[in-house]
Amino acid sequence: MAREAFDAAVVGGGPVGGCCALALAAAGMRVALVGPRPAGPPAALAAGDAGYDLRVLALTRASERILARLGLWGEIAAGRHGRFRAMRVWDAASPAAVRFDADEVGEPALGWTVEQRCIVEALWRRLEAEAESGALALVPARVESLEPGSADDARLGLDGGGMLRARLVVAADGADSRVRELAGIAVRGGPYEQRAVVATLACERPHRLTAWQRFLPDGPIALLPLDDLHRVSIVWSTTPAHADALLEMEPEAFAGAVTEAAEARLGAMTLEGPRAAYALRHQHAAAYVEGRVALVGDAAHVIHPLAGQGFNLGLLDAAALAECAAAAWRAHGDPGAAAALARYQRWRRGENLAMGLLMEAFRSGFGARALPVRAARALVFAVADRCAPLRRALVRRAMGLEGDLPDLARVRCVEAAP
Ligand SMILES: Cc1cc2nc3c(=O)[nH]c(=O)nc-3n(C[C@H](O)[C@H](O)[C@H](O)COP(=O)(O)OP(=O)(O)OC[C@H]3O[C@@H](n4cnc5c(N)ncnc54)[C@H](O)[C@@H]3O)c2cc1C
């Protein structure tokens, strides 16, 4: 692999990087995907009683479309996945509540719930098939250095001593991106004093294809519906001390705590399998591009999981970058041209910043115990609950049916989910 030259090198084989590599290759570019195949979750985490992955992602309709256009949705939808037709959000500290419904916007679903490993497996099967047919190159190495090459490319140094050249370098190497650091791009933000506890639970009452989220003083608890009407995947964001306590509880006590936190809306809950916790942080790159490098996914932004948007935003980044790069490549053969990357940055940075700020406002607004803040949030809920046009606009935006979407997210596809 020494000194091979590519139109684009995508660093990071996670869900965002893999999809970005497929989108760039589909446009006809010579693409290398650099990075190890992501390991599955540890066996202990992978094999709960029901065998669900503890990492379940809520996907928007925009993500469904992008995954379909990349040829992945058919396999994902044929496997185990859930869907939600409604979303109920309510506040523990006031009577405030709001309900969003797919019927209101004339859609069959607000979104889908898919185990992360199902996405990664479908993605890597496709990447390997594409590599087999010569449409892209898989380079199972880690990037260790980045240097400007000649005037029109950049050079990536790999562990093991290899090197490759590319006109566009995509940093999709996650929240602690090495490529971002090598490109000298700073990040703003930091850790939240919160951890997210994840687990799979059986529920006494059916979830009714509804995603449930209750805002508690220490953070929100979300119950995501799985394929089985009596199973949910939870994400409970709370203080580190409380997260530790939740992980250490006996299974019955933990299930009792979840039942109580969800106000028993789904009846009594029973823990199925293991639990895990993730430290939460928020961060945003000061720039999305530098020279021939462009950041996508968690390398560019990490937001609170309360709205389940991190991967969805990363997929939109990947689709938007591929669109800008492909247009430049078709026009003059250079997908990493400064004008193309500047267009990408203008397009995605503002959108992601706005979403990050909104999540921050939700998180801090719901964490506040002061009476005026509680009154204000009750008012916001009441307005959203009573004002159908506002609710519809919010829903269409959150589903990715509106906004400045890349082409891959716009086109309705024949491969739609069952
Ligand atoms: C509790 C929780 C719940 C969440 N729920 C949702 C949800 O419901 N919906 C949603 O949309 N998002 C959700 N998210 C966010 C989502 O998980 C992430 O945004 C997404 O997984 C990021 O994908 P990525 O490909 O950008 O990064 P990663 O998955 O981190 O992938 C980065 C890849 O880069 C590779 N890499 C790293 N360094 C190098 C190097 N030097 N060279 C080569 N390769 C390298 C790594 O091996 C890895 O494979 C959630 C997050 C959390 C914590």
Side-chain angles (χ1 to χ4, degrees), residues 11-17 34-36 38 55-58 116 141-143 172-174 178 196 198 235 278 280 297-298 305 308-312:
V11 183
V16 174
V34 188
R55 289 296 295 270
V56 170
L57 300 181
Q116 183 157 323
R142 298 183 75 81
V143 167
D173 48 346
R178 175 88 174 117
V198 294
V235 181
Y278 294 87
L280 299 180
D298 276 17
Q309 285 291 343
F311 173 58
N312 291 304

Side-chain angles (χ1 to χ4, degrees), residues 163-397:
M163 173 166 289
L164 59 81
R165 295 189 291 126
R167 293 170 78 95
L168 167 64
V169 173
V170 181
D173 48 346
D176 296 314
S177 171
R178 175 88 174 117
V179 175
R180 184 184 66 216
E181 183 191 331
L182 291 167
I185 300 176
V187 282
R188 302 191 179 119
Y192 285 122
E193 276 306 292
Q194 275 192 334
R195 294 173 76 200
V197 175
V198 294
T200 306
L201 288 101
C203 42
E204 187 187 9
R205 293 194 210 125
H207 54 58
R208 308 201 300 277
L209 305 183
T210 299
W212 307 79
Q213 178 144 269
R214 183 173 187 226
F215 282 91
L216 298 154
D218 288 333
I221 181 167
L223 284 65
L224 299 175
L226 294 171
D227 59 321
D228 180 328
L229 280 173
H230 287 272
R231 283 206 173 96
V232 292
S233 172
I234 68 147
V235 181
W236 188 348
S237 306
T238 187
T239 60
H242 187 216
D244 285 346
L246 287 170
L247 293 183
E248 280 160 21
M249 282 175 185
E250 290 299 318
E252 296 73 23
F254 175 78
V258 174
T259 306
E260 195 183 320
E263 264 191 330
R265 294 278 172 118
L266 300 181
M269 317 279 288
T270 314
L271 178 65
E272 295 203 321
R275 291 158 267 181
Y278 294 87
L280 299 180
R281 61 170 127 166
H282 66 109
Q283 67 184 34
H284 207 139
Y288 278 19
V289 301
E290 176 59 45
R292 292 185 165 274
V293 174
L295 313 183
V296 293
D298 276 17
H301 45 78
V302 180
I303 65 171
H304 198 284
L306 70 87
Q309 285 291 343
F311 173 58
N312 291 304
L313 296 179
L315 257 190
L316 288 170
D317 297 343
L321 177 61
E323 193 174 318
C324 296
W329 179 73
R330 279 192 297 270
H332 46 72
D334 185 358
L341 300 195
R343 182 181 158 218
Y344 163 67
Q345 173 164 259
R346 276 196 307 277
W347 190 351
R348 292 301 307 157
R349 190 157 185 277
E351 297 252 338
N352 292 335
L353 200 55
M355 180 61 83
L357 290 173
L358 186 66
M359 290 311 106
E360 196 40 32
F362 265 107
R363 192 197 65 81
S364 49
F366 280 99
R369 289 158 210 239
L371 194 58
V373 185
R374 278 168 33 205
R377 70 182 184 238
L379 181 68
V380 170
F381 266 65
V383 171
D385 200 43
R386 283 183 205 144
C387 179
L390 172 67
R391 225 174 33 245
R392 277 199 290 274
L394 286 173
V395 166
R396 291 189 66 79
R397 184 89 196 182

